Amino acid sequence: MQEVFFYVFAALTLGFGFLVVANPFSRDPVTRAMCLVLTILSLAGLFVLLEAYFLAAVQVLVSAGAVMVLFLFVIMLLDVGAEQRRRAGRAMTVMAVASVLALGGVFARALAGTRLPAVSAGGAGMAGDVEAMGEMLLTRYLVPLEATGLVLLVAMVGVVLLGRKDLK
Amino acid sequence: MTAGLEHYLGVSALLFGLGLVGVLLRGNLILMYLSLELMLNAASLALVAFDRFNGTRNGQILVFFIITVAAAEVAVGLALLVALYRKRQTAQVEDLTGMKL
Amino acid sequence: MHSLPWIILFAPLLAAAGITLFTLRNPARSALLSVSAVAVAFVLSVVAFLVFPAPSAPVELSGVWLAVGSLQVEFGVRLDPLSLVMLLIVTGVGGVIHVYSCGYMRGDRGTGRYFACLSFFTFSMLLVVLATNFLQLFIGWELVGLSSYLLIGFWYERESAAEACKKAFLTNRLGDVGFLLGIILVWATLGSLHFGELAAVLETTPGALGAVASLAGLLVFCGAMGKSAQFPLHVWLPDAMEGPTPVSALIHAATMVAAGVYLLCRVFFLLEATPAWPDAAPAWLDGITALGVVGWIGGVTALLAALIAVQQDDIKRILAYSTLSQLGYMMMAVGLSAPVPAMFHLATHAFFKALLFLGAGAVIVSLHHEQNIWRMGGLHARMPATAWTFLIATLALCGVPPFSGFFSKDAILAAALDPARGSGGLFLVGVAVAFLTAFYMTRLVLVTFQGTPRSAPASEAVETSPVMKWPLVVLAVPAALAGFWSIDRFLDRHFHPAAAAPASGWFEQWVAPLVHAPLAVLLSLVAVGLGFYTAYLLYRGAATDPLPAKLGLLARGMRAKFYLDELNAWCIRLTHDALARLADWIDRWIIAGVMVRGTHGTTELVGRALRLVQSGNLQTYVLVVVLGIAAVLWLALGPRP
């Protein structure tokens, strides 16, 4: 059963991901943003399969919810029209593909040289997901947590500052 | 056939590649941003998969932070974009060559 | 007691600093400061001399100055008979000359600068004299060279003075290169720079220097050759007479040029070491010892300079060549393994030669800076004090008993006759030089002070001011009597601490040379008498020099200093031109061509290439970054499994 779900979600993720990058049906940015939402939702499905329930929820709430709302808001605010018909330079395309292939090569080599754990080692230990995560965040990862809070604060101040009309 | 770690990693790598192509080839800053989000998510997937198969939880914590920081980053980035758009009336990357000396 | 030498050493330096900082524009105060500093140094030197303890034990005060690895250099002062004698000469003669300078430099714009330099020179000289090790001595040595440079070029607006000081400095430098190499060689072989330690090592094992013994001795002699103006590095000293006359008296007659002789006596143990050459050296070197070279260079210098002095017309130049010739004498004595006579002659020479220069200075001032002796004449009647003191110094220089020069010069000639270490050739040179000395000094005295005035200034000359006259009188005393002061006996303690010299009265001292080496005395006296006689015959009442007509070509050679300057210039032009052409080629093709243009060309090419990358396009940058990351990761994965 799980395998079926894996393939379904993986296909959905990759398919919608492809639509984000290159949509043959529509050039509308809003459509693309919506495709990204669907990608993230499929990814959340994969998270569930990996028994990361808390993260799946956070992923849906934050990424798919809050962030994507922000995206849509800005797209509509700026009224970005359909992307102008513009062909990326041939050289650039070749180079992009080449760089992706290079990274893929590195990945393949890394994978080939490693023995991966074959079966899932987790199981029963992963129960009580939220509780355990919360405890770790407030004990071992307290300092990064606080730092992240600070980052959010700074980001907020920065956004307010950038949003002023008389920005120099 | 059970879905092993390598399957998840494969999905993650493909997703990452898709995002990278988007960043490199799309001319619109907002679309580049969307592609960037794809790459971040691909990384998250890899981390969670590693966690699952190693029986640890550190990667999940990391993903949690990624999501948080990504949210902050998107907020700042989009604010920058809006400010830029107000000034230049464009969001096309080829019009923004201010980094050339 | 222990601060005594330090005060002696640093008082002149303080004076120099004080003058430079505060009283440069006030001649009177500068002079006062400088004179009082040297006076303090002199008084304290006398005290040090009187309280100097046991004869064989040198007093040494020092602290570690720098330690680099196994090289440990001390900064200290060393009091032994050798340095005490030099101390007294430098501060004593120097003090008299300081006082004299007050009169000589009156009215000069740069008096403050003059006294600063003079004090600085005194300090440097004392540093040389009191040094406990080679490095300290070398520092003083160089500072002496520097102050000499400053003082020769004191009237720097005169082109000849500027040229002369450059010549002096460069020639000295040439010798100093050898000296420095010698110091390094000694340190590399024996691992110490300290005079006491080195002497102790070489005393117990005379062959400790091994195969480089002769080389080390000769390299150190190079330094002495430059400073003491020995052939062929003698060319700077006559030109150095461009400086003020008191400077000529102090630096270029009494003290600095004697530093070379002092150095050789100080490191005499080095010259005495078993002579040896490296195996690779050619065979004809085997017969040559460092001492032999020193002796013959000294002899050649003495003879050559005396010959040149015969045909010079400038009063200071005659004295300069005479100085050269006497320095040659001292070197000869060192070469004859007779450091005591060398130092003895150094001491007496310092007195009478300083006196001669000061007398010449008085004449020059009275004649409004006329230096040609053929435009003088008849000065004896007009400047009696100067003339009498000049005469005393002349007699001392010629070696007429009982004046001081007689004893010291005779000791050297006696050493040349010594069966164990003497040399017949050098003895003949010595006698010849004695003859020539008597000849040219008689010529000088007769032409300058006798006869009738041959120019308007000469007929109106008057005796100089007291501040210049009294130093002459004061110096005349040791010039006449220093022979009886047992300087040689005192120095003997340094070189032969074991043998206690018997005390003796002045009469025994007077007749000692006669008893000791009657042949030497006899021959030298005959030579001197002959010199007096021939010069008297030739120059009595002469209005022009009769010698060129009689000697012809030889006289022309003497007058032109045997064309040595021209020879030097020719050699230098030859080598210099070749070197310059080589340097020009290197500069044009290697440095400017390959290095400069290559660098800028490569940079420009790389820049042009990199400019293409920097397009300002965000995506290009991302691409580069991604490729870079891929490369780094690939490398991080390590070698292919």
Side-chain angles (χ1 to χ4, degrees):
Chain A
M1 193 64 190
Q2 279 213 353
E3 297 87 83
V4 179
F5 277 119
F6 169 75
Y7 285 113
V8 170
F9 281 129
L12 283 176
T13 307
L14 290 175
F16 287 122
F18 180 77
L19 287 182
V20 172
V21 175
N23 191 334
F25 312 114
S26 159
R27 310 196 65 80
D28 188 3
V30 178
T31 315
R32 298 197 168 190
M34 293 316 286
C35 285
L36 183 61
V37 172
L38 289 173
T39 314
I40 291 171
L41 285 177
S42 321
L43 209 60
L46 283 176
F47 283 6
V48 169
L49 282 179
L50 288 168
E51 297 175 14
Y53 307 116
F54 173 65
L55 277 185
V58 170
Q59 179 87 343
V60 171
L61 289 176
V62 179
S63 290
V67 172
M68 292 321 296
V69 167
L70 199 58
F71 262 109
L72 287 171
F73 181 71
V74 169
I75 290 169
M76 290 170 176
L77 174 77
L78 298 185
D79 194 18
V80 182
E83 196 192 0
Q84 287 93 334
R85 197 102 191 113
R86 159 189 171 272
R87 292 218 49 85
R90 182 182 299 274
M92 194 59 202
T93 316
V94 172
M95 289 304 289
V97 172
S99 69
V100 170
L101 286 182
L103 273 185
V106 173
F107 174 75
R109 199 183 142 196
L111 215 56
T114 323
R115 278 177 60 89
L116 295 171
V119 270
S120 69
M126 303 299 278
D129 192 42
V130 179
E131 190 187 333
M133 288 264 299
E135 199 180 315
M136 281 180 86
L137 275 176
L138 288 177
T139 53
R140 192 167 163 202
Y141 293 99
L142 185 59
V143 176
L145 186 69
E146 296 294 336
T148 318
L150 198 65
V151 168
L152 284 172
L153 177 65
V154 172
M156 202 164 76
V157 173
V159 169
V160 169
L161 195 71
L162 285 169
R164 280 165 52 172
K165 248 203 147 59
D166 53 348
L167 183 70
K168 289 281 179 299
Chain B
M1 168 185 170
T2 322
L5 177 55
E6 60 272 25
H7 296 91
Y8 285 99
L9 289 183
V11 172
S12 164
L14 284 174
L15 201 58
F16 190 88
L18 274 176
L20 184 57
V21 170
V23 169
L24 285 176
L25 294 183
R26 290 283 78 107
N28 191 302
L29 278 176
I30 290 186
L31 293 182
M32 283 172 74
Y33 247 116
L34 291 176
S35 307
L36 216 56
E37 282 293 307
L38 272 186
M39 290 165 75
L40 276 172
N41 279 313
S44 301
L45 177 60
L47 282 169
V48 173
F50 275 126
D51 251 15
R52 173 70 181 77
F53 285 89
N54 284 324
T56 59
R57 225 184 284 272
N58 296 330
Q60 293 196 29
I61 301 281
L62 200 53
V63 172
F64 176 76
F65 285 130
I66 289 178
I67 292 171
T68 322
V69 174
E73 177 233 327
V74 166
V76 175
L78 288 177
L80 275 172
L81 201 76
V82 171
L84 200 66
Y85 196 80
R86 261 198 225 135
K87 220 175 160 74
R88 296 275 186 84
Q89 301 298 319
T90 179
Q92 289 300 112
V93 73
E94 60 263 30
D95 298 331
L96 307 171
T97 54
M99 282 209 280
K100 183 158 68 178
L101 281 175
Chain C
M1 172 66 202
H2 284 303
S3 54
L4 212 64
W6 295 110
I7 299 175
I8 296 173
L9 179 58
F10 284 108
L13 182 65
L14 280 180
I19 293 170
T20 317
L21 291 177
F22 302 117
T23 67
L24 212 50
R25 291 176 199 291
N26 188 331
R29 274 194 209 151
S30 304
L32 182 69
L33 210 56
S34 185
V35 169
S36 47
V38 77
V40 166
F42 177 62
V43 171
L44 292 182
S45 302
V46 171
V47 173
F49 179 75
L50 293 177
V51 301
F52 184 65
S56 56
V59 178
E60 199 169 306
L61 313 164
S62 64
V64 175
W65 174 39
L66 55 89
V68 186
S70 63
L71 174 65
Q72 185 134 6
V73 180
E74 292 174 328
F75 190 91
V77 291
R78 181 184 171 91
L79 286 184
D80 52 16
L82 199 58
S83 59
L84 272 172
V85 168
M86 279 303 278
L87 209 57
L88 286 174
I89 293 171
V90 172
T91 56
V93 178
V96 173
I97 291 171
H98 272 69
V99 174
Y100 178 90
S101 298
C102 301
Y104 192 86
M105 299 306 288
R106 180 165 293 150
D108 194 281
R109 274 187 303 124
T111 307
R113 183 162 58 89
Y114 172 82
F115 277 107
C117 291
L118 210 57
S119 282
F120 185 65
F121 166 77
T122 312
F123 161 72
S124 320
M125 192 67 207
L126 291 176
L127 195 60
V128 170
V129 168
L130 292 171
T132 62
N133 58 61
F134 264 118
L135 200 65
Q136 194 188 341
L137 189 140
F138 188 74
I139 292 166
W141 193 260
E142 294 298 314
L143 290 181
V144 162
L146 171 68
S147 34
S148 156
Y149 167 83
L150 292 173
L151 284 167
I152 295 172
F154 180 71
W155 286 310
Y156 52 83
E157 62 277 8
R158 280 211 317 242
E159 202 184 330
S160 55
E163 293 291 328
C165 68
K166 271 188 285 183
K167 187 174 179 181
F169 198 71
L170 290 177
T171 317
N172 269 307
R173 189 100 298 79
L174 214 57
D176 291 347
V177 171
F179 185 24
L180 191 58
L181 287 178
I183 292 176
I184 294 170
L185 191 59
V186 168
W187 178 70
T189 330
L190 296 181
S192 171
L193 289 175
H194 189 269
F195 292 135
E197 289 170 18
L198 288 174
V201 168
L202 283 173
E203 199 171 358
T204 47
T205 45
L209 271 169
V212 297
S214 296
L215 198 61
L218 285 180
L219 283 173
V220 170
F221 175 56
C222 271
M225 224 155 96
K227 223 25 112 240
S228 285
Q230 293 300 294
F231 177 84
L233 297 183
H234 67 280
V235 288
W236 66 269
L237 186 57
D239 288 15
M241 297 302 133
E242 289 294 338
T245 307
V247 169
S248 307
L250 177 61
I251 301 185
H252 306 116
T255 53
M256 183 187 95
V257 289
V261 179
Y262 170 75
L263 169 70
L264 291 191
C265 294
R266 171 58 82 202
V267 301
F268 193 67
F269 53 84
L270 201 65
L271 299 170
E272 255 185 336
T274 317
W277 289 96
D279 295 333
W284 53 267
L285 276 175
D286 286 343
I288 294 176
T289 63
L291 278 176
V293 173
V294 173
W296 275 104
I297 293 264
V300 168
T301 311
L303 194 60
L304 199 73
L307 279 174
I308 296 175
V310 167
Q311 275 296 291
Q312 296 300 308
D313 292 335
D314 183 322
I315 184 167
K316 281 180 77 178
R317 272 181 188 266
I318 298 175
L319 294 178
Y321 278 106
S322 157
T323 306
L324 276 179
S325 154
Q326 298 303 309
L327 288 168
Y329 251 124
M330 298 174 208
M331 286 294 175
M332 203 165 93
V334 173
L336 291 167
S337 303
V340 173
M343 284 302 293
F344 186 23
H345 196 57
L346 189 161
T348 56
H349 174 257
F351 296 132
F352 59 69
K353 189 49 68 67
L355 177 53
L356 282 174
F357 266 108
L358 295 190
V363 170
I364 291 168
V365 166
S366 293
L367 267 61
H368 309 297
H369 292 271
E370 176 58 65
Q371 301 197 1
N372 189 333
I373 55 171
W374 295 105
R375 297 177 57 78
M376 298 173 183
L379 293 178
H380 196 279
R382 312 199 64 91
M383 308 173 66
T386 310
W388 279 116
T389 48
F390 202 87
L391 191 64
I392 291 173
T394 303
L395 293 175
L397 171 58
C398 296
V400 175
F403 295 100
S404 58
F406 166 70
F407 296 94
S408 54
K409 188 183 273 188
D410 225 75
I412 295 176
L413 289 176
L417 271 188
D418 189 295
R421 50 195 186 174
S423 149
L426 283 178
F427 177 73
L428 288 183
V429 168
V431 173
V433 172
F435 164 75
L436 287 169
T437 308
F439 183 83
Y440 67 69
M441 284 316 289
T442 313
R443 169 180 182 257
L444 175 59
V445 169
L446 281 178
V447 172
T448 308
F449 290 101
Q450 303 299 322
T452 50
R454 281 179 296 275
S455 67
S459 53
E460 291 155 14
V462 288
E463 188 63 86
T464 46
S465 57
V467 73
M468 284 167 72
K469 191 172 82 182
W470 283 106
L472 298 180
V473 178
V474 170
L475 267 181
V477 175
L481 301 177
F484 301 112
W485 292 354
S486 345
I487 298 175
D488 47 346
R489 221 165 290 266
F490 185 64
L491 285 165
D492 235 16
R493 288 195 204 167
H494 179 78
F495 293 99
H496 313 287
S504 56
W506 67 271
F507 184 74
E508 282 89 347
Q509 283 186 38
W510 191 5
V511 296
L514 290 167
V515 180
H516 185 232
L519 182 63
V521 176
L522 220 64
L523 275 178
S524 76
L525 282 181
V526 167
V528 170
L530 214 60
F532 281 145
Y533 182 66
T534 42
Y536 184 73
L537 280 185
L538 275 171
Y539 287 101
R540 189 178 47 142
T544 53
D545 201 332
L547 211 55
K550 290 195 167 45
L551 286 179
L553 208 59
L554 182 61
R556 252 178 61 200
M558 293 171 176
R559 189 168 285 274
K561 307 154 206 164
F562 292 116
Y563 302 101
L564 281 168
D565 274 335
E566 284 74 9
L567 183 73
N568 281 349
W570 182 74
C571 284
I572 288 169
R573 219 172 20 246
L574 214 65
T575 51
H576 186 269
D577 277 5
L579 272 178
R581 234 173 313 206
L582 180 72
D584 175 68
W585 188 87
I586 289 177
D587 184 62
R588 197 181 298 267
W589 294 107
I590 307 270
I591 294 179
V594 176
M595 291 181 170
V596 175
R597 249 172 256 156
T599 308
H600 113 244
T602 319
T603 313
E604 194 182 328
L605 270 178
V606 172
R608 272 171 201 279
L610 285 178
R611 211 184 55 162
L612 299 176
V613 177
Q614 218 222 10
S615 58
N617 187 335
L618 204 59
Q619 286 169 321
T620 321
Y621 296 166
V622 173
L623 185 71
V624 173
V625 170
V626 168
L627 286 175
I629 289 174
V632 168
L633 285 180
W634 185 269
L635 289 176
L637 282 176
R640 191 175 292 275

